[in-house]
Amino acid sequence: MTTTTPTTPVNPSRGPSRPLGKPFGGSKLTSRGIANAVVLIAALYTMLPALWLVLASTKNADALFGSDIFSLGDFSFARNLSDLFSMDGGLYGEWYVNSLLYAVVGALAGSLISVAAGYAFDKYEFRHKEKFFGLVLTGVMVPPTVLALPLYLVASEIGMVNTFWSVFVPVLFNPFGVYLARLLSSGYVPNEVLEASRVDGAGELQTYVRVSLRMLGPGFVTVFLFQLTAIWNNFFLPMVMLSDQHLYPLSLGLYTWNSAATVSPEYYPLVVIGSLLAVVPLILAFVLLQRYWKSGLTAGSVK
């Protein structure tokens, strides 16, 4: 009896094909190793500055100037923290409160304005609607630093320079927030729900507040976080508008201390630990609201 040995089929145009059940293990391992190496490098690039900031905040001025950051000695975190809030009559605490007012209250009010405007652009038809939205897109492409000087001239004309409102009012209007809110509205709020609400006798404002705004909750949080980050890191506008140190936000206040540190080195540890505390609100905001903004970023991706 003759037995036949199975052979691997050959495609004349492509050459011998690999046997079934035998994947190219080597190439997969190589690709996975390259991907892991890229992720590791990106993680180190992101985390090393943060690690340096945490370690440097525990050192005194001598250790900072001696590049002795990684040593276990010269631990003075508590002293740096005490000096931070007592320097210049407690200016750092005032700067922190100012930043919270500018960023948290400004981002909350600005997000309400942006979501309402984006919702109106998405759900309503009015004359020259797309032209107005084109102006919004133009505002997205204009860097905020370009607008600082015109805003200063306008504020100077109405006597608002060097006041809280000179920094607070301009951050309420965010073209990118309006653009993002329109996209989120189209993904979160079905037109059928609005029609059902109108049939039930609800007015437009009532429909927006009780129905649409609740459905736009994740989108609202997404716009809020974007605006919170932008306002918290805002530097050039306060520098142009303000001359009273008691109105400075953290970004501008720490900049003035860093400039003074060239003459008075005792400011260096305060700038470092002040920068560490300055990132805490942003970290808390993203950690506490991450489940909302993650869903907001994927709105409309799946129909």
Side-chain angles (χ1 to χ4, degrees):
M1 182 173 64
T2 303
T3 59
T4 304
T5 303
T7 59
T8 303
V10 177
N11 187 336
S13 61
R14 299 177 59 183
S17 61
R18 62 182 177 86
L20 296 177
K22 295 184 178 180
F24 294 117
S27 61
K28 284 188 176 182
L29 291 176
T30 303
S31 301
R32 183 177 299 176
I34 294 175
N36 290 337
V38 171
V39 171
L40 179 61
I41 293 173
L44 290 175
Y45 178 80
T46 303
M47 295 304 298
L48 283 179
L51 178 62
W52 182 93
L53 185 62
V54 172
L55 295 176
S57 65
T58 65
K59 304 300 179 181
N60 55 29
D62 294 335
L64 288 176
F65 287 116
S67 299
D68 201 14
I69 303 297
F70 295 96
S71 68
L72 298 178
D74 300 321
F75 186 84
S76 59
F77 181 81
R79 181 178 178 181
N80 291 342
L81 196 62
S82 175
D83 292 342
L84 176 67
F85 286 97
S86 62
M87 178 65 73
D88 295 340
L91 267 180
Y92 183 82
E94 295 184 26
W95 296 341
Y96 215 101
V97 173
N98 292 338
S99 288
L100 289 175
L101 290 175
Y102 291 136
V104 178
V105 180
L108 183 61
S111 299
L112 289 172
I113 295 172
S114 297
V115 170
Y119 173 82
F121 274 116
D122 178 48
K123 300 304 180 185
Y124 297 107
E125 295 295 332
F126 49 90
R127 190 176 182 183
H128 304 308
K129 166 183 170 179
E130 295 304 327
K131 292 181 180 179
F132 285 127
F133 191 69
L135 291 177
V136 173
L137 295 181
T138 303
V140 172
M141 294 182 288
V142 176
T145 52
V146 176
L147 301 175
L149 184 57
L151 287 173
Y152 172 80
L153 296 176
V154 172
S156 178
E157 287 293 328
I158 60 178
M160 204 169 62
V161 173
N162 199 31
T163 65
F164 170 84
W165 305 105
S166 63
V167 177
F168 181 78
V169 173
V171 300
L172 297 179
F173 305 98
N174 181 15
F176 177 73
V178 177
Y179 167 73
L180 184 60
R182 181 178 184 179
L183 298 181
L184 295 170
S185 176
S186 63
Y188 271 111
V189 185
N191 292 328
E192 294 79 6
V193 175
L194 302 183
E195 291 297 331
S197 178
R198 290 165 185 151
V199 169
D200 290 339
E204 295 299 327
L205 183 59
Q206 187 178 12
T207 299
Y208 172 71
V209 174
R210 294 189 176 182
V211 179
S212 302
L213 192 56
R214 294 184 180 183
M215 300 177 72
L216 283 170
F220 175 83
V221 173
T222 303
V223 176
F224 173 80
L225 286 175
F226 276 111
Q227 199 148 349
L228 176 70
T229 304
I231 300 173
W232 189 267
N233 295 323
N234 193 10
F235 170 76
F236 192 68
L237 181 64
M239 185 178 68
V240 171
M241 292 290 188
L242 303 176
S243 58
D244 185 0
Q245 288 192 348
H246 296 280
L247 296 174
Y248 283 2
L250 280 174
S251 56
L252 183 56
L254 291 174
Y255 170 79
T256 58
W257 275 4
N258 188 60
S259 301
T262 57
V263 178
S264 304
E266 65 270 14
Y267 280 106
Y268 274 121
L270 306 185
V271 172
V272 173
I273 192 172
S275 300
L276 176 64
L277 296 183
V279 301
V280 171
L282 293 181
I283 295 175
L284 290 177
F286 275 88
V287 170
L288 296 176
L289 300 175
Q290 62 177 335
R291 61 173 181 167
Y292 298 106
W293 70 266
K294 282 182 179 179
S295 60
L297 289 175
T298 59
S301 60
V302 179
K303 291 291 186 181

